Amino acid sequence: MEINLTSKNFESVVMGSEIPVLIDFWAEWCGPCMMLSPIVAEIAEENDELLVCKVNVDEEQELAVAFGIESIPALFVIKDGKIVNQTVGYHSKEDILALVGEN
């Protein structure tokens, strides 16, 4: 399951998570974001040990600024409240899983 992340629920969802969190920063007008979306959804469905969140940068500009988002799609991996990995652009499912597992 993917969680729609907002500035209101960020603290409780991400900082309170006992498992790693994958955050996908995206927008509806972004072609690569739309290509990446089904891959992120598949990862969310298949991994119980990973919390997958999505942030629409047009709706959640505060979070986008807080993470220094300049290009999308942008993926961040957070463990124990700290960013442990990040990447920008379209990536394969294998690359994303490696990104999560590299830390």
Side-chain angles (χ1 to χ4, degrees), residues 13-14 16-22 47-52 78-81:
V13 172
V14 175
S17 179
E18 295 182 7
I19 60 175
V21 181
L22 175 67
N47 294 280
D48 293 336
E49 295 301 313
L50 179 66
L51 183 62
V52 178
I78 298 180
K79 276 190 180 179
D80 301 319

Side-chain angles (χ1 to χ4, degrees), residues 3 20 27 31 35 42 52 55 65-66 77-78 84 86 91 103:
I3 295 172
M35 291 169 44
E42 193 174 305
V52 178
V55 177
V65 169
V77 179
I78 298 180
V84 295
Q86 65 189 68
H91 294 280
N103 31 58

Side-chain angles (χ1 to χ4, degrees), residues 12-65:
S12 62
V13 172
V14 175
M15 302 311 267
S17 179
E18 295 182 7
I19 60 175
V21 181
L22 175 67
I23 304 176
D24 175 19
F25 288 86
W26 69 283
E28 290 181 16
W29 48 263
C30 167
C33 297
M34 295 295 102
M35 291 169 44
L36 188 64
S37 186
I39 295 171
V40 172
E42 193 174 305
I43 290 171
E45 283 182 32
E46 295 174 353
N47 294 280
D48 293 336
E49 295 301 313
L50 179 66
L51 183 62
V52 178
C53 300
K54 297 191 65 95
V55 177
N56 182 324
V57 296
D58 290 331
E59 295 173 1
E60 292 297 327
Q61 293 180 3
E62 186 179 325
L63 276 178
V65 169

Side-chain angles (χ1 to χ4, degrees), residues 36 68-76 86-91 99:
L36 188 64
I69 301 301
E70 295 180 1
S71 297
I72 54 174
L75 299 173
F76 284 77
Q86 65 189 68
T87 190
V88 174
Y90 175 83
H91 294 280
L99 184 76

